[in-house]
Amino acid sequence: MLLTDKVCLITGAASLRGIGRATAKLFAQHGAKVVILDLDAGQAEEAARAIGEGHLGLACNVTDKAACQAAADEVVSRLGRIDVLVNNAGITQPLKFMEIEPGNYEAVLDVNLRGTLYMSQAVVPQMRQQRSGSIVCMSSVSAQRGGGIFGGPHYSAAKGGVLGLGKAMARELGPDTVRVNSITPGLIQTDITGGKLTDELKVEIAKGIPLGRLGVADDVANACLFLASDLSSYITGAVIDVNGGMLIH
């Protein structure tokens, strides 16, 4: 029970097969009070009920600064504190460099990078007041290897921005005992690939992964649990690779 009575917010966690939902379920198993944030209030509430009693589901568009603040305020009002934030909400688009239009750029950068900024800004005052907190930012192996999987170059740019933002936040918030770390998943079998991950493609990709398989959402959830818990109390500004050895550097 690594998170007993800790209040943990997870953005983009309503999707049944997603990393956010797997993380929410694992956190609940470790005693956390989980708050699932997603665009649709009904889906967020349903996801919260699915992981057990005493958890919350709230609507929140992470690209809207006021919505992030409202969600954080409601959590503090109802649960009294915020111990962990997992910035999981994200979208991708499989576009080539010259195919990226302004709308594509804005959509991907907004959710992945602006959303990480706004949601973190919303919870930091409470964490500073408590003089404790852990923020986990979801980047991607695409940021490290320059794409080449499913996301386009603008996705790599957004996730690279997440890494830089997370490190800068860690440096600034360290004196307040607020830790900030990032996770860089490899190819994880979730719905974000939009059905493009065929069985044949899975076999081909797995040939280039030392551990011989693609990742699943629980693999990333386990890393989130480590970074959220006191097991990582002296770790901040770090990047944890969860890619089966796809990228060893």
Short mmCIF file of all heavy atoms in Angstrom, two decimals, residues 36-63:
data_model
loop_
_atom_site.label_atom_id
_atom_site.label_comp_id
_atom_site.label_asym_id
_atom_site.label_seq_id
_atom_site.Cartn_x
_atom_site.Cartn_y
_atom_site.Cartn_z
N ILE A 36 -10.12 11.09 -11.35
CA ILE A 36 -9.97 10.92 -12.79
C ILE A 36 -10.50 12.18 -13.48
O ILE A 36 -11.65 12.56 -13.30
CB ILE A 36 -10.72 9.68 -13.27
CG1 ILE A 36 -9.99 8.42 -12.80
CG2 ILE A 36 -10.88 9.67 -14.80
CD1 ILE A 36 -10.66 7.12 -13.17
N LEU A 37 -9.64 12.81 -14.26
CA LEU A 37 -10.01 13.99 -15.02
C LEU A 37 -10.06 13.64 -16.50
O LEU A 37 -9.12 13.04 -17.03
CB LEU A 37 -9.00 15.12 -14.80
CG LEU A 37 -8.78 15.58 -13.35
CD1 LEU A 37 -7.71 16.67 -13.28
CD2 LEU A 37 -10.07 16.08 -12.73
N ASP A 38 -11.15 14.01 -17.16
CA ASP A 38 -11.25 13.76 -18.60
C ASP A 38 -12.23 14.77 -19.18
O ASP A 38 -12.93 15.49 -18.45
CB ASP A 38 -11.70 12.33 -18.88
CG ASP A 38 -11.03 11.77 -20.13
OD1 ASP A 38 -11.22 12.35 -21.22
OD2 ASP A 38 -10.29 10.78 -20.01
N LEU A 39 -12.32 14.83 -20.49
CA LEU A 39 -13.16 15.82 -21.15
C LEU A 39 -14.64 15.67 -20.80
O LEU A 39 -15.35 16.64 -20.60
CB LEU A 39 -12.99 15.73 -22.67
CG LEU A 39 -11.70 16.31 -23.25
CD1 LEU A 39 -11.57 15.95 -24.72
CD2 LEU A 39 -11.66 17.82 -23.07
N ASP A 40 -15.10 14.42 -20.75
CA ASP A 40 -16.51 14.14 -20.51
C ASP A 40 -16.75 13.77 -19.05
O ASP A 40 -16.18 12.80 -18.55
CB ASP A 40 -16.96 13.00 -21.43
CG ASP A 40 -18.44 12.70 -21.31
OD1 ASP A 40 -18.81 11.89 -20.43
OD2 ASP A 40 -19.23 13.29 -22.08
N ALA A 41 -17.60 14.53 -18.37
CA ALA A 41 -17.86 14.30 -16.95
C ALA A 41 -18.43 12.91 -16.71
O ALA A 41 -18.02 12.21 -15.76
CB ALA A 41 -18.81 15.37 -16.41
N GLY A 42 -19.38 12.49 -17.55
CA GLY A 42 -20.00 11.19 -17.38
C GLY A 42 -19.00 10.05 -17.48
O GLY A 42 -19.02 9.11 -16.67
N GLN A 43 -18.12 10.12 -18.46
CA GLN A 43 -17.11 9.07 -18.64
C GLN A 43 -16.11 9.07 -17.48
O GLN A 43 -15.68 8.01 -17.02
CB GLN A 43 -16.39 9.26 -19.97
CG GLN A 43 -17.25 8.98 -21.18
CD GLN A 43 -16.52 9.17 -22.50
OE1 GLN A 43 -15.34 9.50 -22.52
NE2 GLN A 43 -17.22 8.98 -23.60
N ALA A 44 -15.76 10.26 -17.00
CA ALA A 44 -14.83 10.36 -15.87
C ALA A 44 -15.45 9.77 -14.61
O ALA A 44 -14.81 9.03 -13.86
CB ALA A 44 -14.43 11.81 -15.64
N GLU A 45 -16.72 10.08 -14.39
CA GLU A 45 -17.42 9.55 -13.21
C GLU A 45 -17.56 8.03 -13.30
O GLU A 45 -17.39 7.32 -12.30
CB GLU A 45 -18.80 10.21 -13.09
CG GLU A 45 -18.73 11.68 -12.70
CD GLU A 45 -20.04 12.41 -12.95
OE1 GLU A 45 -21.04 11.74 -13.34
OE2 GLU A 45 -20.07 13.64 -12.77
N GLU A 46 -17.87 7.55 -14.48
CA GLU A 46 -18.01 6.10 -14.67
C GLU A 46 -16.68 5.38 -14.42
O GLU A 46 -16.64 4.32 -13.78
CB GLU A 46 -18.50 5.81 -16.09
CG GLU A 46 -18.73 4.33 -16.39
CD GLU A 46 -19.17 4.09 -17.83
OE1 GLU A 46 -19.67 5.03 -18.47
OE2 GLU A 46 -18.99 2.95 -18.30
N ALA A 47 -15.59 5.97 -14.91
CA ALA A 47 -14.27 5.39 -14.69
C ALA A 47 -13.92 5.37 -13.22
O ALA A 47 -13.33 4.40 -12.72
CB ALA A 47 -13.22 6.17 -15.48
N ALA A 48 -14.28 6.44 -12.50
CA ALA A 48 -14.00 6.50 -11.06
C ALA A 48 -14.77 5.43 -10.30
O ALA A 48 -14.24 4.76 -9.41
CB ALA A 48 -14.33 7.89 -10.53
N ARG A 49 -16.03 5.23 -10.68
CA ARG A 49 -16.85 4.19 -10.03
C ARG A 49 -16.29 2.80 -10.31
O ARG A 49 -16.33 1.92 -9.45
CB ARG A 49 -18.30 4.26 -10.53
CG ARG A 49 -19.12 5.39 -9.93
CD ARG A 49 -20.60 5.20 -10.21
NE ARG A 49 -20.91 5.19 -11.63
CZ ARG A 49 -21.19 6.27 -12.35
NH1 ARG A 49 -21.19 7.47 -11.77
NH2 ARG A 49 -21.46 6.18 -13.65
N ALA A 50 -15.73 2.63 -11.50
CA ALA A 50 -15.24 1.31 -11.90
C ALA A 50 -14.05 0.86 -11.08
O ALA A 50 -13.80 -0.35 -10.96
CB ALA A 50 -14.88 1.32 -13.38
N ILE A 51 -13.30 1.80 -10.50
CA ILE A 51 -12.12 1.40 -9.73
C ILE A 51 -12.42 1.29 -8.24
O ILE A 51 -11.53 0.95 -7.46
CB ILE A 51 -10.91 2.35 -9.97
CG1 ILE A 51 -11.23 3.78 -9.55
CG2 ILE A 51 -10.47 2.29 -11.42
CD1 ILE A 51 -10.02 4.70 -9.60
N GLY A 52 -13.66 1.59 -7.84
CA GLY A 52 -14.03 1.37 -6.45
C GLY A 52 -14.69 2.56 -5.79
O GLY A 52 -14.95 3.59 -6.41
N GLU A 53 -14.95 2.42 -4.50
CA GLU A 53 -15.62 3.46 -3.72
C GLU A 53 -14.66 4.58 -3.37
O GLU A 53 -13.45 4.37 -3.19
CB GLU A 53 -16.18 2.86 -2.43
CG GLU A 53 -17.28 1.83 -2.62
CD GLU A 53 -18.59 2.47 -3.06
OE1 GLU A 53 -18.85 3.62 -2.65
OE2 GLU A 53 -19.32 1.83 -3.83
N GLY A 54 -15.21 5.79 -3.24
CA GLY A 54 -14.44 6.90 -2.70
C GLY A 54 -13.56 7.64 -3.68
O GLY A 54 -12.77 8.49 -3.28
N HIS A 55 -13.70 7.33 -4.98
CA HIS A 55 -12.91 8.02 -5.99
C HIS A 55 -13.78 9.02 -6.75
O HIS A 55 -15.00 8.88 -6.79
CB HIS A 55 -12.29 7.00 -6.94
CG HIS A 55 -11.51 5.92 -6.24
ND1 HIS A 55 -10.36 6.17 -5.54
CD2 HIS A 55 -11.77 4.59 -6.09
CE1 HIS A 55 -9.91 5.05 -5.01
NE2 HIS A 55 -10.76 4.07 -5.33
N LEU A 56 -13.14 10.02 -7.35
CA LEU A 56 -13.87 11.09 -8.03
C LEU A 56 -13.61 11.08 -9.52
O LEU A 56 -12.50 10.77 -9.97
CB LEU A 56 -13.45 12.46 -7.49
CG LEU A 56 -13.86 12.87 -6.08
CD1 LEU A 56 -13.32 14.27 -5.80
CD2 LEU A 56 -15.36 12.83 -5.92
N GLY A 57 -14.62 11.46 -10.28
CA GLY A 57 -14.46 11.69 -11.71
C GLY A 57 -14.95 13.09 -12.03
O GLY A 57 -16.09 13.45 -11.70
N LEU A 58 -14.09 13.90 -12.64
CA LEU A 58 -14.44 15.29 -12.93
C LEU A 58 -14.13 15.62 -14.38
O LEU A 58 -13.17 15.10 -14.96
CB LEU A 58 -13.64 16.25 -12.03
CG LEU A 58 -13.80 16.12 -10.51
CD1 LEU A 58 -12.82 17.06 -9.81
CD2 LEU A 58 -15.23 16.40 -10.09
N ALA A 59 -14.94 16.51 -14.95
CA ALA A 59 -14.66 17.01 -16.30
C ALA A 59 -13.55 18.04 -16.25
O ALA A 59 -13.53 18.90 -15.35
CB ALA A 59 -15.91 17.63 -16.90
N CYS A 60 -12.62 17.95 -17.17
CA CYS A 60 -11.56 18.96 -17.24
C CYS A 60 -10.92 18.92 -18.62
O CYS A 60 -10.41 17.89 -19.06
CB CYS A 60 -10.49 18.72 -16.17
SG CYS A 60 -9.19 19.97 -16.18
N ASN A 61 -10.95 20.06 -19.30
CA ASN A 61 -10.22 20.25 -20.55
C ASN A 61 -8.87 20.86 -20.18
O ASN A 61 -8.80 22.02 -19.80
CB ASN A 61 -11.01 21.17 -21.48
CG ASN A 61 -10.28 21.44 -22.78
OD1 ASN A 61 -9.12 21.04 -22.96
ND2 ASN A 61 -10.94 22.12 -23.70
N VAL A 62 -7.80 20.07 -20.28
CA VAL A 62 -6.51 20.53 -19.79
C VAL A 62 -5.94 21.70 -20.61
O VAL A 62 -4.99 22.35 -20.17
CB VAL A 62 -5.47 19.38 -19.75
CG1 VAL A 62 -5.89 18.33 -18.73
CG2 VAL A 62 -5.24 18.77 -21.12
N THR A 63 -6.51 21.98 -21.78
CA THR A 63 -6.05 23.12 -22.56
C THR A 63 -6.69 24.42 -22.10
O THR A 63 -6.37 25.49 -22.61
CB THR A 63 -6.33 22.93 -24.07
OG1 THR A 63 -7.74 22.99 -24.30
CG2 THR A 63 -5.81 21.59 -24.56
#
